[in-house]
């Protein structure tokens, strides 16, 4: 890992990124309207893709190669169910009452990117799973609250990890957020946990012009994931539910702007709760 300063965006560029972020939010609303027992993950993906094409927005995920460079991602959204944490491939699987489903998607619009993820409950879910969702989204809320108060990202990451751990859950390691701009993945990395190595070699200053995708990924007990044979889907090693929330955030002179919020600034999937 080598320290690399973020590519700072101007106010005009952040305004352009907000357009991509709003389209990303709208794509998520298309998906949210379909979440119910019996719907397939392929149906959700198809509806999101149709919306993106109508808006002349480029899906960020479709066609991205896997780590081997040989297996492109076949969909516009990663749709991950229950113990599947991220990168689930949409298909014929039907959602069932009591499932949770994480949907991660992004678009490029007029040259700029937006990226966001939400974990939904399908009907009634276990109290422990509901708490998992609340804590994962709470970690994202906490990051947004702390960014104006901290100097370096590692300070925020340390607080996010402590918040999750104190709630009785585990931050998944090895998976991180990222800077974002004209490309979906820009440097530096944006972890959700603290390490001395990152603090020494990868940390960056929180200053106006920084735009990052912050995405806490939390499991019941496992810090690690394993990959399914499809080359993409990552599942929690403990086999229990895992959650994922993400927003694209811009640091401005006025504070943090949630670029993937709705038109009224509403950003949250779950009811407001005190952190």
């Amino acid at each position: 890992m080598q320290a690399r300063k973020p590519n700072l965006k101007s106010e005009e560029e952040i305004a352009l990124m907000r357009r991509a972020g709003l389209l990303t939010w709208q794509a998520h609303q298309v998906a949210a309207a379909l979440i119910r027992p019996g719907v397939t993950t392929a149906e959700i993906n198809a509806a999101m893709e149709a919306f993106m094409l109508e808006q002349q927005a480029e899906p960020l995920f479709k066609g991205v190669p896997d780590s081997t460079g040989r297996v492109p991602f076949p969909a516009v959204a990663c749709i991950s169910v229950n113990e599947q944490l991220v990168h689930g491939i949409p298909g014929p699987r039907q959602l069932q009452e009591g499932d949770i489903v994480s949907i991660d998607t992004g678009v490029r619009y007029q040259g700029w990117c937006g990226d966001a993820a939400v974990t939904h409950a399908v009907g009634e879910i276990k109290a422990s799973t509901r708490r998992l969702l609340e804590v994962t989204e709470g970690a994202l809320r906490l990051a947004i609250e702390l960014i104006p108060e901290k100097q370096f990202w590692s300070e925020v990451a340390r607080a996010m990890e402590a918040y999750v751990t104190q709630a009785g859950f585990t931050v998944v390691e090895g998976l991180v957020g990222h800077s974002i701009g004209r490309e979906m993945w820009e440097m530096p990395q944006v972890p959700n946990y603290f390490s001395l190595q990152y603090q020494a070699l990868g940390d960056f200053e929180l200053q106006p012009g920084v735009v990052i995708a912050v995405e806490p990924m939390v499991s019941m007990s496992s810090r690690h994931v394993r990959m399914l044979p499809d080359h993409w889907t990552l599942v929690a090693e403990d086999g229990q539910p895992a959650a994922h929330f993400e927003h694209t955030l811009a640091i401005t002179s006025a504070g943090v702007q949630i670029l993937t919020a709705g038109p009224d600034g509403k950003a949250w999937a779950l009811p407001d709760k005190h952190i």
Side-chain angles (χ1 to χ4, degrees), residues 126-142:
K126 293 180 179 178
S128 59
T129 307
R130 169 62 64 180
R131 181 61 178 154
L132 171 71
L133 268 58
E134 292 171 352
V135 169
T136 307
E137 190 172 34
L140 179 53
R141 293 177 189 246
L142 178 62

Side-chain angles (χ1 to χ4, degrees), residues 22-175:
L22 183 57
L23 285 171
T24 303
W25 179 87
Q26 291 172 326
H28 271 289
Q29 306 321 297
V30 171
L34 295 174
I35 301 295
R36 64 181 183 275
V39 74
T40 68
T41 55
E43 289 171 332
I44 296 170
N45 178 77
M48 296 176 77
E49 183 166 20
F51 169 79
M52 293 176 188
L53 293 176
E54 288 171 2
Q55 300 299 318
Q56 299 183 324
E58 175 191 347
L60 278 184
F61 296 4
K62 193 171 186 178
V64 171
D66 75 335
S67 59
T68 70
R70 298 193 299 269
V71 183
F73 192 76
V76 303
C78 300
I79 305 183
S80 311
V81 182
N82 295 335
E83 76 282 358
Q84 297 175 354
L85 176 62
V86 290
H87 303 166
I89 297 176
R93 180 172 182 168
Q94 292 184 337
L95 299 182
Q96 299 181 12
E97 182 85 12
D99 285 344
I100 59 171
V101 55
S102 299
I103 300 178
D104 185 5
T105 198
V107 303
R108 180 182 285 108
Y109 184 70
Q110 296 180 347
W112 295 94
C113 299
D115 188 6
V118 179
T119 302
H120 300 271
V122 183
E124 293 296 321
I125 60 175
K126 293 180 179 178
S128 59
T129 307
R130 169 62 64 180
R131 181 61 178 154
L132 171 71
L133 268 58
E134 292 171 352
V135 169
T136 307
E137 190 172 34
L140 179 53
R141 293 177 189 246
L142 178 62
I144 294 168
E145 179 182 296
L146 291 179
I147 284 172
E149 302 175 9
K150 304 297 184 182
Q151 184 177 2
F152 292 98
W153 176 256
S154 63
E155 299 173 83
V156 179
R158 186 196 290 267
M160 291 171 71
E161 183 176 24
Y163 168 79
V164 170
T165 301
Q166 289 167 9
F169 299 103
T170 303
V171 176
V172 176
E173 296 184 359
L175 298 172

Side-chain angles (χ1 to χ4, degrees), residues 1-3 154 191 193-203:
M1 185 186 300
Q2 185 174 1
S154 63
Y193 53 91
F194 178 82
S195 73
L196 291 174
Q197 181 185 24
Y198 178 82
Q199 185 183 45
L201 300 176
D203 213 355

